[in-house]
Amino acid sequence: MKLKNVSLRYKLLVALTVIPIVGLSLFLALAVSIFEKDKIAYIFDSSLSVSKTRATRVSSEISSVVSISQAIVLSYRGDTKDLSETGQYYFEKEPKLHAFEVHAFDPEGGVYQSTVTLRKGDAAITEDFQSRLVAEARGRNLVVRRDPSGARVWLAARFGDVSDPRHVIALALFDAAELSQVFGDKGAYMSFLMTKSDAEPLFASWEPTVWQPSVIWGELAKSKIPEGIAELKSPKGEAYLASFVDTGVADLVVVSMVNRKAALQAIDILLKKSFLFFIAVMSATAILAVLASRGLTSSLVFLSSATRKVAEGDFEFRVEVSGKDEIGQLASSFNTMAEEVARLMKETAAKARMEAELATASAVQETLFPEPNAELGGIHISGHYMPASECGGDWWYYFENGDKTYIWVGDVTGHGAPAALLTSAARAVASVIQFGPESTPSASLGILNRAICETSKGKMMMTFFLACIDRKTGIMTYANASHEPPLLLHHTMEEPSRDDFIPLNAVNNPRLGEQPGAEFKEASVQLKEGDQVVFYTDGVVDVKNPEAKQWGERRFIKALSAEMAGGTLTSQALTGVVQRIESFRGETPLDDDVTLVLCSYRGAA
């Protein structure tokens, strides 16, 4: 039978059946594909954000305990094998600590002996668990393990190189209620805090019978980067979308997961609704094919053309709805689907715009920093800053006020846009002090602390070190708010060694933003002509190479010794150290912002 002999009614029936099916199928496939990809990307991004946030809180909590332990160990007297009253005071006044032990190495017997034991309440440890912690800390420098008897956590830290017979290992039992609360939240994501070495979970927001931690980390450990995403299969064959973030302390890693099927449930709903929509369209098509007219045929041609435009990528195209009949409903449904796809495309554009705004914020933040090299009377200063993301949380600055030269170095907990806002607040306070009357470091930190408290409302903290050098006398007065203590190298050291770098840790105060009414103590040190001071943030020693090994304090001190030997110019020494860091890091992304400032005193101005 020739086509021209076929009834127009059947021609319309065939046309109105085939064209919508093909066109709408292409459109639906494209919409589902875009929606699924965007949804998965959003889930991974959200999961990674959750993991980063929890990793930051873990890092902050563990770092604070390490700092407290270091303060106590600094009071340890090797000759009498006990702590000074200062160390015991730190232990008694620190509410987090429930137990503290110092294990000194016996060179003759080749074993560790417990020399100091401090306890609060029912704190206890078995001999086997104690031996295990000491052995692991000897090999890995820092170990964190959950106390077998409850929600508290043991931290084992080695202070000193194992080759040094004077090194000690400190065991600290601290209250991890904050971490328990963080990982006890059974929200949309299953979260785990585990050790990479043996996949032992410290905290989990899900029952371990659902997922064995060794199975989780067995898959994620194949990735050598400090953070990432992956799709995992459960022992029952279910697909999960997972993210992991290395906390940067000990061998702890945070893993967050969500069931893929549950997360993409909206797609199933979309397909079901689309199927019903297809049935409605086909029913309307059969009726219209019988009652079709010339006007109906032209309307169908226009609708088919619109479908092709959407399939070609013109998501802004809309069909004019001229009535409430079946064709009008079909046109309205088409517009609804096109609007949904257009919305998804706009969200993608909004995400790109946000990235552009972050780039602008990064450019603005660069104006907060001073010139990298300066000569202020008899003081030479050279600094280097590298953010881990578009916006960073590190900040350094210097200025002159009268006969004094001030050097500011701070580190906000975390990085990104929120951290950058706090650095802006710090810069504003520095400007006020710079053009006002001379201020002491302790008073300046008090002003800055109030500004940080008002800005962050207690949600973010900032470590800080502020030094004030009298150019006439060479006396450097400083105050430290839980920041890494700078290193002092005297001018007489032609070939300095590790022991020649003296940490300026005479005082240590709370972090900025932690206590609104905190008072900050200060100390002083006499600088002589040729003396050099190294200021830095923890991001310097946390730099990792492609093999995920940290730059570490040992390599850092070695680099300083090589580059600062013989009184090398400050700018040249800084360039040399930075080149060594970059050579070690290669193409590995930074986990944290890196700030390094070198200052040399050349005598009275």
Side-chain angles (χ1 to χ4, degrees):
M1 183 182 294
K2 295 183 179 180
L3 183 61
K4 65 180 180 179
N5 297 327
V6 178
S7 173
L8 179 60
R9 177 177 300 179
Y10 295 109
K11 289 180 180 179
L12 290 174
L13 180 60
V14 172
L16 291 175
T17 301
V18 174
I19 293 177
I21 287 178
V22 174
L24 292 175
S25 295
L26 291 174
F27 176 78
L28 181 61
L30 179 62
V32 170
S33 176
I34 293 175
F35 181 78
E36 182 175 0
K37 291 179 181 178
D38 184 75
K39 184 68 174 178
I40 290 177
Y42 171 79
I43 292 171
F44 275 135
D45 185 65
S46 177
S47 175
L48 193 60
S49 177
V50 170
S51 296
K52 286 182 177 180
T53 299
R54 295 185 173 181
T56 299
R57 296 185 69 175
V58 171
S59 177
S60 175
E61 181 74 5
I62 299 302
S63 297
S64 68
V65 177
V66 171
S67 298
I68 296 169
S69 300
Q70 184 180 28
I72 296 176
V73 169
L74 287 174
S75 71
Y76 179 72
R77 296 175 293 201
D79 53 346
T80 59
K81 305 296 183 183
D82 60 2
L83 295 178
S84 66
E85 293 182 357
T86 301
Q88 296 179 8
Y89 174 81
Y90 284 160
F91 173 76
E92 294 295 336
K93 294 300 181 181
E94 178 51 51
K96 287 183 180 179
L97 291 183
H98 292 265
F100 193 85
E101 298 181 2
V102 176
H103 293 257
F105 183 68
D106 181 6
E108 295 181 0
V111 296
Y112 289 88
Q113 295 181 343
S114 176
T115 57
V116 174
T117 301
L118 302 176
R119 292 284 189 273
K120 292 179 184 177
D122 61 347
I125 184 172
T126 64
E127 185 175 346
D128 290 342
F129 191 60
Q130 182 187 68
S131 300
R132 173 189 169 189
L133 288 176
V134 172
E136 290 185 4
R138 174 182 173 85
R140 286 205 296 269
N141 189 41
L142 181 63
V143 176
V144 178
R145 294 289 182 269
R146 191 165 183 172
D147 184 41
S149 62
R152 295 176 295 193
V153 173
W154 279 98
L155 180 145
R158 173 168 52 82
F159 295 94
D161 193 87
V162 293
S163 61
D164 186 352
R166 296 172 298 174
H167 76 273
V168 297
I169 293 177
L171 305 184
L173 177 62
F174 66 96
D175 188 351
E178 180 178 351
L179 297 183
S180 180
Q181 181 181 3
V182 168
F183 290 93
D185 180 15
K186 293 186 178 180
Y189 296 95
M190 295 187 295
S191 293
F192 303 87
L193 176 62
M194 63 178 63
T195 58
K196 294 184 288 185
S197 57
D198 51 10
E200 178 183 345
L202 270 71
F203 296 97
S205 64
W206 216 261
E207 294 297 329
T209 55
V210 178
W211 271 91
Q212 292 298 327
S214 59
V215 176
I216 300 173
W217 187 243
E219 291 295 323
L220 298 180
K222 297 176 182 178
S223 176
K224 300 300 183 182
I225 58 178
E227 63 181 51
I229 56 177
E231 184 169 331
L232 305 178
K233 290 288 186 181
S234 74
K236 296 182 179 180
E238 296 178 318
Y240 281 77
L241 304 178
S243 68
F244 66 95
V245 175
D246 193 327
T247 63
V249 295
D251 61 342
L252 300 180
V253 64
V254 174
V255 179
S256 296
M257 304 189 307
V258 65
N259 186 285
R260 189 182 193 277
K261 182 178 180 180
L264 300 181
Q265 189 176 8
I267 296 179
D268 294 335
I269 297 175
L270 176 64
L271 290 174
K272 292 178 180 178
K273 289 186 176 180
S274 298
F275 179 73
L276 296 176
F277 175 75
F278 263 61
I279 294 177
V281 170
M282 294 309 301
S283 299
T285 301
I287 297 174
L288 289 174
V290 178
L291 304 175
S293 64
R294 184 182 180 87
L296 176 62
T297 304
S298 62
S299 298
L300 292 175
V301 170
F302 182 73
L303 182 59
S304 176
S305 175
T307 304
R308 287 194 297 271
K309 284 184 176 294
V310 172
E312 293 170 356
D314 186 2
F315 301 111
E316 298 299 325
F317 188 82
R318 297 292 183 271
V319 177
E320 182 179 355
V321 180
S322 58
K324 297 183 179 181
D325 55 12
E326 289 80 358
I327 294 299
Q329 293 178 10
L330 182 61
S332 178
S333 299
F334 174 87
N335 288 340
T336 299
M337 297 179 69
E339 288 173 0
E340 182 65 17
V341 174
R343 182 186 66 80
L344 294 174
M345 299 301 292
K346 288 180 180 179
E347 288 182 357
T348 302
K351 187 179 295 185
R353 183 174 65 253
M354 185 177 296
E355 293 177 354
E357 291 175 354
L358 284 176
T360 302
S362 176
V364 172
Q365 190 185 23
E366 290 179 0
T367 63
L368 304 180
F369 293 88
E371 292 296 323
N373 297 295
E375 183 174 348
L376 308 177
I379 299 175
H380 294 237
I381 300 174
S382 291
H384 173 78
Y385 165 71
M386 182 180 298
S389 57
E390 289 83 355
C391 298
D394 282 7
W395 178 72
W396 75 279
Y397 194 64
Y398 60 80
F399 62 79
E400 294 180 292
N401 190 339
D403 295 329
K404 306 291 195 307
T405 296
Y406 294 78
I407 301 176
W408 306 57
V409 180
D411 183 4
V412 181
T413 53
H415 50 266
L421 292 176
L422 281 191
T423 64
S424 299
R427 176 65 174 84
V429 172
S431 296
V432 173
I433 296 175
Q434 179 178 0
F435 298 105
E438 292 184 2
S439 176
T440 63
S442 58
S444 299
L445 281 191
I447 297 173
L448 182 56
N449 179 57
R450 288 190 291 272
I452 297 300
C453 288
E454 289 296 323
T455 302
S456 68
K457 304 301 181 183
K459 295 181 179 179
M460 298 184 71
M461 309 295 174
M462 190 176 192
T463 66
F464 216 92
F465 193 96
L466 175 54
C468 174
I469 304 175
D470 190 318
R471 296 192 301 277
K472 290 184 177 181
T473 64
I475 295 177
M476 184 177 83
T477 305
Y478 63 88
N480 189 354
S482 298
H483 194 78
E484 282 66 33
L487 304 174
L488 170 63
L489 179 65
H490 287 304
H491 66 294
T492 56
M493 304 303 173
E494 292 295 328
E495 296 182 359
S497 64
R498 177 188 181 90
D499 294 336
D500 294 326
F501 289 89
I502 304 171
L504 301 180
N505 52 14
V507 292
N508 193 30
N509 300 291
R511 293 176 297 175
L512 302 182
E514 186 174 326
Q515 302 175 13
E519 295 183 0
F520 296 88
K521 299 178 181 179
E522 61 184 34
S524 299
V525 62
Q526 176 67 56
L527 299 182
K528 298 180 181 179
E529 183 176 352
D531 283 359
Q532 301 182 73
V533 183
V534 181
F535 304 85
Y536 65 98
T537 60
D538 57 1
V540 173
V541 296
D542 290 342
V543 170
K544 292 185 177 65
N545 65 4
E547 288 74 36
K549 294 183 179 179
Q550 280 192 339
W551 170 253
E553 183 179 353
R554 184 179 62 83
R555 289 189 180 91
F556 180 43
I557 298 298
K558 186 176 180 180
L560 292 174
S561 300
E563 298 297 337
M564 297 174 67
T568 305
L569 292 177
T570 304
S571 58
Q572 294 178 357
L574 177 69
T575 300
V577 175
V578 171
Q579 288 176 348
R580 289 172 181 263
I581 293 176
E582 290 300 304
S583 176
F584 175 83
R585 181 170 75 94
E587 299 298 326
T588 306
L590 293 173
D591 288 340
D592 196 4
D593 307 322
V594 171
T595 299
L596 179 62
V597 181
L598 269 60
C599 170
S600 63
Y601 178 68
R602 302 300 183 185

